[in-house]
Amino acid sequence: MTSSVKVLSFWRSPFGVRVLIALKEKGVEYEYIEEQDLLETKSKLLLESNPVHKKVPVLIHNGKPVCESLIILQYIDETWPSHDNNGFLPPDPYERAVVRFWADYADKKIFEAIRLILKNAEGELVEQGKKIMKESMATLDKALKDVARDGPYFGGKNINLVDITLASYLCWIETLETLGNFKSLEESTCPHLCEWAKVVVQHPSVKEGLATIPAQKVLESARELRKKYFGILE
Amino acid sequence: MTSSVKVLSFWRSPFGVRVLIALKEKGVEYEYIEEQDLLETKSKLLLESNPVHKKVPVLIHNGKPVCESLIILQYIDETWPSHDNNGFLPPDPYERAVVRFWADYADKKIFEAIRLILKNAEGELVEQGKKIMKESMATLDKALKDVARDGPYFGGKNINLVDITLASYLCWIETLETLGNFKSLEESTCPHLCEWAKVVVQHPSVKEGLATIPAQKVLESARELRKKYFGILE
């Protein structure tokens, strides 16, 4: 049977980019379906395949939808297991728990910061967003330093769930730093993470995935969103 | 080697009760360590074992801490696999994704409602909390009705990740309904979920777990919290 794999997403979604990176990493061919107007109208296909959250990304495999990006990543890993035992999660239960912990941490913290900084031009909430970014980058830097590994990634020689989750945010981090006029991922406070970022963006699946979400386009799009929905002009 | 299993929690935490239910379900002996004063001072053991979130529950297995309740549940399932193939997650990747989706949904939605209803005596936010509760109970009712199963639980004959996650909230749901003077888990709108609730509270591990978090004590404690931190008197 030919396997049918479709990804329903919107280009600037970091959650969607994760799914693309994961499929590319596994060498799985897919059809990409772009949601045209995510904030105003949602497609019939999106509403049918994710009736609960009505959000992208959705992975549709042989007609069956899988939702929520970290759940999709684990689905991809379990459906197309790596032959060399280098999946997105390691085999040991404790190490799996640690990887899940950091993927969840990166996922939640950076999204929280995106929401705060995107929706507010200045004031307490945007400062809170910057604080979250600085703290979470420093915390992830320490996590990367502490984890026993035999290569440049959170996953060692291979990218894992944390690498994919964090890499998918990279151009949004740049955008946040520009909008908020601050730095979070910088050499002085996050040397290990800066080194990681340099290497991970050259990893083939990450490079191809991130090419779909160019930093300059994310920044322009973020500025349009701020103007249109929150009346923020720059 | 004798395995050392400790659970660091606070009695009224639904997240902590999940871990107790999961360990009881697997027949794993554990030492329970109660945090004495969660909101004002945190124990050295908690700060050391969960330095990132500083939250209960933490499972400490042979000295190694695992944090975040849904991650702990998966760790327990992977560390003490069920011999009869009836783990908290089914073997099939798609079914696993579906189970993860609903566990995550129940986890997030009900906690969102708890925060809104606990912190607000009346007004828009408490109404939003009630709406979330009513909608999520109806959505979970439909999910339970739709899932193919051979028994009363989300997991069929055996309890799974969704059963444990949702069951752990049961006495908090009662408390919310009393505080907000509304109904969400009721026969007319959630017949399948009401039937499920009646059966699941009699499931031995759930019954024992929930006995540690008596409904009346949760209600009294919630009223004290509202008075002390949010100035809400009833």
Side-chain angles (χ1 to χ4, degrees):
Chain A
M1 190 181 80
T2 313
S3 175
S4 150
V5 179
K6 295 176 186 177
V7 179
L8 185 53
S9 188
F10 187 64
W11 72 271
R12 73 167 171 248
S13 165
F15 313 113
V17 171
R18 276 175 208 174
V19 176
L20 306 189
I21 294 173
L23 289 170
K24 287 172 193 295
E25 184 65 22
K26 296 284 186 177
V28 176
E29 297 283 326
Y30 60 87
E31 177 191 347
Y32 179 81
I33 305 171
E34 176 86 349
E35 272 290 299
Q36 289 306 322
D37 188 356
L38 199 61
L39 292 174
E40 314 230 317
T41 42
K42 306 197 181 214
S43 74
K44 191 162 166 268
L45 183 61
L46 177 59
L47 296 176
E48 278 172 4
S49 37
N50 190 358
V52 173
H53 297 303
K54 304 175 180 67
K55 285 181 183 163
V56 295
V58 183
L59 177 81
I60 307 176
H61 185 202
N62 293 333
K64 288 166 153 182
V66 183
C67 305
E68 297 291 276
S69 69
L70 291 186
I71 295 176
I72 296 174
L73 258 49
Q74 290 179 77
Y75 174 78
I76 291 172
D77 198 34
E78 293 172 358
T79 302
W80 295 280
S82 304
H83 300 300
D84 47 5
N85 213 5
N86 289 312
F88 302 159
L89 285 166
D92 175 71
Y94 185 75
E95 287 174 26
R96 291 165 77 81
V98 172
V99 169
R100 287 191 175 116
F101 178 87
W102 289 117
D104 174 76
Y105 176 84
D107 179 46
K108 284 185 188 151
K109 288 290 170 182
I110 302 173
F111 184 56
E112 206 180 331
I114 291 179
R115 289 204 301 185
L116 288 165
I117 296 172
L118 199 62
K119 293 185 179 180
N120 301 283
E122 54 186 2
E124 201 186 316
L125 293 175
V126 80
E127 292 311 316
Q128 197 182 320
K130 292 183 195 179
K131 187 165 176 271
I132 290 170
M133 278 308 294
K134 288 178 189 173
E135 283 178 0
S136 60
M137 289 299 112
T139 303
L140 286 162
D141 186 79
K142 189 173 177 309
L144 179 64
K145 179 175 154 274
D146 290 349
V147 76
R149 43 194 181 97
D150 54 0
Y153 305 125
F154 281 89
K157 286 186 190 129
N158 305 280
I159 61 170
N160 73 6
L161 201 69
V162 187
D163 292 296
I164 300 176
T165 303
L166 194 54
S168 71
Y169 274 131
L170 279 174
C171 45
W172 266 100
I173 294 176
E174 235 179 284
T175 288
L176 288 190
E177 293 183 342
T178 307
L179 294 180
N181 191 25
F182 75 112
K183 279 281 175 196
S184 56
L185 181 55
E186 59 180 343
E187 203 63 52
S188 60
T189 50
C190 317
H192 309 92
L193 211 56
C194 284
E195 190 53 39
W196 167 87
K198 277 181 214 153
V199 181
V200 85
V201 296
Q202 295 303 324
H203 186 86
S205 63
V206 176
K207 191 173 183 175
E208 285 174 38
L210 288 181
T212 67
I213 180 171
Q216 187 57 34
K217 207 174 146 198
V218 173
L219 180 60
E220 282 163 21
S221 171
R223 284 187 167 137
E224 277 168 34
L225 278 177
R226 292 184 115 194
K227 187 175 159 190
K228 185 165 176 182
Y229 292 100
F230 312 112
I232 303 171
L233 298 170
E234 291 165 271
Chain B
M1 189 182 79
T2 312
S3 175
S4 150
V5 180
K6 295 176 186 178
V7 179
L8 184 54
S9 190
F10 187 63
W11 72 271
R12 73 166 171 249
S13 164
F15 313 113
V17 171
R18 276 174 207 174
V19 176
L20 305 189
I21 294 173
L23 289 169
K24 287 172 193 293
E25 184 65 21
K26 296 284 187 177
V28 176
E29 297 282 327
Y30 60 87
E31 178 190 348
Y32 179 81
I33 305 171
E34 176 85 350
E35 272 290 300
Q36 289 306 322
D37 188 357
L38 198 61
L39 292 174
E40 314 229 318
T41 42
K42 307 199 181 212
S43 73
K44 191 163 167 268
L45 183 61
L46 176 60
L47 296 175
E48 278 171 5
S49 37
N50 190 358
V52 174
H53 296 304
K54 304 175 180 67
K55 284 180 184 165
V56 295
V58 183
L59 178 81
I60 307 176
H61 185 202
N62 294 332
K64 289 168 155 180
V66 184
C67 305
E68 297 290 276
S69 68
L70 291 186
I71 295 175
I72 297 173
L73 258 50
Q74 290 179 78
Y75 174 78
I76 291 172
D77 197 35
E78 293 172 358
T79 303
W80 295 280
S82 304
H83 299 301
D84 48 5
N85 214 5
N86 289 313
F88 301 159
L89 285 165
D92 174 72
Y94 185 75
E95 287 174 26
R96 291 165 77 81
V98 172
V99 169
R100 286 191 176 116
F101 178 87
W102 289 117
D104 173 75
Y105 176 84
D107 179 45
K108 285 186 188 150
K109 288 289 171 183
I110 302 173
F111 184 56
E112 206 181 331
I114 290 179
R115 288 205 301 187
L116 288 165
I117 296 172
L118 199 62
K119 293 185 179 179
N120 301 282
E122 54 187 0
E124 201 187 316
L125 292 175
V126 80
E127 292 310 316
Q128 198 183 319
K130 292 183 195 180
K131 186 164 175 273
I132 290 171
M133 277 308 295
K134 288 179 190 174
E135 282 178 1
S136 60
M137 289 299 113
T139 303
L140 286 163
D141 186 79
K142 189 173 176 313
L144 179 64
K145 179 174 153 275
D146 290 350
V147 75
R149 38 192 185 99
D150 53 0
Y153 305 125
F154 281 89
K157 286 186 189 128
N158 306 280
I159 60 170
N160 73 7
L161 201 69
V162 187
D163 292 295
I164 300 177
T165 303
L166 194 53
S168 71
Y169 273 132
L170 280 175
C171 45
W172 266 100
I173 294 176
E174 234 179 285
T175 288
L176 288 189
E177 294 183 341
T178 307
L179 294 179
N181 191 26
F182 75 112
K183 279 281 174 196
S184 57
L185 181 55
E186 59 180 343
E187 202 63 51
S188 60
T189 50
C190 318
H192 309 91
L193 211 56
C194 284
E195 190 53 41
W196 167 87
K198 278 182 214 152
V199 181
V200 85
V201 296
Q202 295 303 325
H203 186 87
S205 63
V206 176
K207 191 173 183 176
E208 285 175 37
L210 288 181
T212 68
I213 180 172
Q216 187 56 32
K217 208 174 144 197
V218 173
L219 180 60
E220 282 162 21
S221 172
R223 285 187 166 137
E224 277 168 33
L225 278 176
R226 293 183 115 195
K227 187 176 159 190
K228 183 165 178 183
Y229 293 100
F230 312 111
I232 303 171
L233 298 170
E234 291 166 270

